[in-house]
Amino acid sequence: MWQEVLPNAWESILSRIRSFEYSQKNAVLVPAAALGVGGMLVYWLMSRRKIKTLEMGDGWWGSGEKPLQEKEDERIRPFQIETSDKEIQDLHHRLDQARYTPPLEGAAFDYGFNSNYLQKVVSYWRNQFDWRKQVEILNKYPHFQTTIEGINIHFIHVKPSYIPHGQTVYPLLMVHGWPGSFYEFYKIIPLLTEPARHSLSEGDIVFEVICPSIPGYGFSEAPHQKGFDTIAAARIFHKLMNRLGFKEYYVQGGDWGAQITTNMAQMLPQSVKGLHLNLVFISAWGLGRMISVMFGAYVPWLVGLTREDVRRIYPFLQKNLYYLLRESGYLHIQATKPDTAGCGLNNSPVGLAAYILEKFSTWTDKSFLHKDDGGLESKYHLDELLTNVMIYWVTSSIVSSMRFYKENFSKYPDVAAAWRVSTHVPTGIAAFPQELAHTPRTWAKKTFKNIVTYSYMPRGGHFAAFEEPRLLAQDIKHFVKKVEQL
């Protein structure tokens, strides 16, 4: 009988073993399969998640109400800067009538623009500066105007003089800030459009450059309605690029130009191939950044800071709070009562020059505060500086340019909405050591989610294209080459 029972028992044992092995395999395979399917599902959902963008909207900035059912004139009109004997004679008369207050002994630029040096600048302006010659220089690049949202938008559009067969030319929109102008880019334009002629590496990266004037600045008409901010400017510049026939393009900016181009990237990321900045605007302080500042001086690696970040940020109160308070007095005036302060500047070329050129001193190099001449002529020629001032003077645009601050700072909820939108397009950052404030990469990536290049520039300040055109051009080209290789 055991001969019959034994095989049955053995078969039962083998069956149990196989059943156990199968269940053990299931214990491993089923969760693994579930994990794989779940992972694929999460990836699919993430890939389908729409990137949050700024609403483009629409606007009307012309005088009066927007005409109903009237199509906007979309023509691109050639434009040329002109001057006259009357304009120059009026300037000279006002310069001759200037009054000066003697500076305090040893004050240098600590109290603002030193009036002793100001008299030297005004003497050069009155007797040696040739505005007609500078107008010819300004007109060496093609100027245009077009009407967008009810106002005339001025821009220059510079193309390479020769394009070899098979050469790709990348459209690049460059946006200035305050108190600058489109003229800031005159020295960098040939480096970008004709790199081979200027012995720049990566000569295969060639651009055609579009430099608009922000509405209310220079030869762009000032908005006639309240509320024109960086988001409105971003929308107008997208429309400009579209009107020029571009579907995809690179954008670059510093100062207000940095915020405008960032808004452009947040608004239509499918149109912006890459965003290059030489000033980074980041959202309000949070707990994470406070911890970063607290520990960064002692264990920088723990909070993602580099040695160069530490050198540029600390001592923190001196290099950030104190310095920014000293340099931002103008901002509080322009963000609250721009028309009051602007009234005097629009009437006095000497006052206008002092107000604007003082920024080109301490924003170029913080140590220039201690120089009697503000260090201005160590970095720039007076012809360059006064040409920028003249763009504000002959267009009477100082007041409207100052209003841009009020429009951006007076409606916090709208500005906060932009801060809550991350930037996902490829981004390049050129961090110049004398910039008003340093933003480490680890802070920037909270807003800019796709930083392709981050460069610690060896020298230079706030007006990068004006002061260090070659350095900035090289960094832009390096960034675009990286993006094109992605």
Side-chain angles (χ1 to χ4, degrees):
M1 183 172 176
W2 61 270
Q3 291 94 342
E4 296 178 1
V5 172
L6 190 60
N8 291 336
W10 181 246
E11 187 64 33
S12 176
I13 291 170
L14 289 176
S15 175
R16 287 172 183 270
I17 291 173
R18 283 194 294 267
S19 175
F20 177 77
E21 288 177 347
Y22 181 74
S23 65
Q24 287 292 94
K25 288 180 181 179
N26 279 352
V28 175
L29 291 175
V30 171
L35 186 63
V37 172
M40 291 174 66
L41 180 62
V42 170
Y43 176 79
W44 180 76
L45 289 172
M46 290 289 286
S47 65
R48 287 178 56 87
R49 188 179 66 179
K50 192 174 181 180
I51 293 174
K52 187 176 181 181
T53 59
L54 278 180
E55 184 178 347
M56 188 163 182
D58 203 358
W60 170 259
W61 310 104
S63 183
E65 294 185 2
K66 183 178 181 179
L68 296 174
Q69 299 178 335
E70 182 177 317
K71 194 174 186 305
E72 192 162 70
D73 181 3
E74 296 186 356
R75 289 176 302 163
I76 305 293
R77 307 181 299 274
F79 175 80
Q80 193 166 37
I81 300 171
E82 297 177 345
T83 188
S84 65
D85 290 339
K86 182 180 178 181
E87 183 176 74
I88 295 172
Q89 289 167 4
D90 175 70
L91 170 68
H92 288 173
H93 173 72
R94 293 171 188 262
L95 294 177
D96 289 339
Q97 299 301 312
R99 300 188 301 175
Y100 303 92
T101 301
L104 296 173
E105 294 180 8
F109 264 56
D110 192 33
Y111 283 69
F113 206 104
N114 186 287
S115 58
N116 285 343
Y117 180 63
L118 181 60
Q119 291 180 67
K120 177 188 174 183
V121 172
V122 171
S123 175
Y124 181 89
W125 197 359
R126 174 65 176 84
N127 301 305
Q128 295 174 261
F129 178 77
D130 188 343
W131 175 232
R132 290 188 185 278
K133 178 184 176 183
Q134 295 306 118
V135 166
E136 290 180 8
I137 292 173
L138 289 174
N139 283 326
K140 75 176 182 178
Y141 294 133
H143 292 248
F144 303 90
Q145 281 189 336
T146 189
T147 304
I148 303 177
E149 298 188 7
I151 53 177
N152 291 324
I153 305 301
H154 162 262
F155 63 99
I156 57 174
H157 186 177
V158 187
K159 301 178 182 180
S161 59
Y162 170 72
I163 304 173
H165 178 71
Q167 173 72 64
T168 300
V169 177
Y170 302 100
L172 172 65
L173 179 84
M174 304 188 77
V175 185
H176 66 88
W178 188 93
S181 65
F182 66 92
Y183 178 60
E184 285 181 67
F185 302 115
Y186 267 49
K187 289 185 284 188
I188 197 175
I189 286 173
L191 306 182
L192 297 170
T193 58
E194 313 280 354
R197 291 188 180 183
H198 299 275
S199 304
L200 280 179
S201 59
E202 297 169 323
D204 54 322
I205 303 293
V206 178
F207 300 92
E208 58 178 294
V209 180
I210 301 93
C211 301
S213 295
I214 299 171
Y217 289 69
F219 299 99
S220 277
E221 185 177 354
H224 298 269
Q225 312 293 332
K226 295 191 293 184
F228 187 88
D229 56 12
T230 59
I231 296 174
R235 181 178 64 245
I236 281 180
F237 291 162
H238 270 307
K239 290 182 177 182
L240 170 64
M241 295 300 279
N242 184 260
R243 193 169 292 184
L244 292 173
F246 300 116
K247 302 302 180 186
E248 290 184 320
Y249 34 88
Y250 287 91
V251 296
Q252 198 283 330
D255 197 86
W256 279 125
Q259 187 59 35
I260 292 169
T261 52
T262 296
N263 290 158
M264 291 179 73
Q266 294 167 329
M267 189 178 289
L268 290 177
Q270 68 272 24
S271 295
V272 177
K273 292 189 72 176
L275 166 69
H276 187 277
L277 305 171
N278 55 277
L279 176 64
V280 177
F281 288 91
I282 50 178
S283 58
W285 280 67
L287 179 61
R289 199 171 311 154
M290 290 179 66
I291 292 173
S292 178
V293 169
M294 289 171 60
F295 289 96
Y298 307 102
V299 282
W301 51 269
L302 190 63
V303 290
L305 299 180
T306 66
R307 289 184 178 181
E308 183 62 19
D309 291 328
V310 171
R311 192 182 70 80
R312 295 188 183 192
I313 291 174
Y314 299 97
F316 187 80
L317 291 180
Q318 176 187 332
K319 290 190 175 181
N320 293 269
L321 182 63
Y322 172 71
Y323 176 72
L324 288 177
L325 282 175
R326 189 187 72 200
E327 293 298 325
S328 62
Y330 80 98
L331 186 151
H332 299 280
I333 294 173
Q334 295 177 190
T336 52
K337 303 291 179 67
D339 286 29
T340 303
C343 180
L345 301 177
N346 196 44
N347 190 58
S348 168
V350 175
L352 180 66
Y355 196 69
I356 289 177
L357 296 186
E358 185 251 315
K359 305 307 177 194
F360 281 86
S361 168
T362 51
W363 291 5
T364 294
D365 192 311
K366 301 173 183 70
S367 68
F368 287 175
L369 183 78
H370 308 295
K371 295 179 177 290
D372 290 336
D373 62 356
L376 283 170
E377 294 178 74
S378 65
K379 289 286 186 175
Y380 313 103
H381 192 282
L382 283 180
D383 282 344
E384 296 173 335
L385 295 169
L386 290 172
T387 296
N388 183 67
V389 173
M390 285 295 290
I391 290 170
Y392 282 87
W393 176 253
V394 300
T395 58
S396 296
S397 59
I398 187 62
V399 176
S400 51
S401 73
M402 292 164 68
R403 287 174 182 163
F404 201 49
Y405 284 79
K406 183 171 179 64
E407 304 296 11
N408 281 287
F409 286 101
S410 64
K411 46 183 182 180
Y412 181 77
D414 288 345
V415 175
W419 292 130
R420 290 194 296 269
V421 177
S422 298
T423 303
H424 293 268
V425 305
T427 302
I429 297 172
F432 285 84
Q434 291 294 331
E435 184 53 270
L436 294 170
H438 176 66
T439 302
R441 180 177 187 144
T442 189
W443 295 358
K445 68 182 183 181
K446 304 296 183 184
T447 299
F448 301 92
K449 303 298 185 181
N450 188 9
I451 298 176
V452 175
T453 62
Y454 183 100
S455 307
Y456 294 101
M457 308 306 284
R459 60 186 180 276
H462 187 70
F463 304 99
F466 203 42
E467 179 195 352
E468 294 289 351
R470 193 173 186 87
L471 283 180
L472 184 61
Q474 288 173 331
D475 200 71
I476 293 171
K477 288 164 63 64
H478 174 64
F479 162 68
V480 170
K481 189 170 185 177
K482 283 254 186 176
V483 174
E484 293 298 323
Q485 291 172 346
L486 293 177

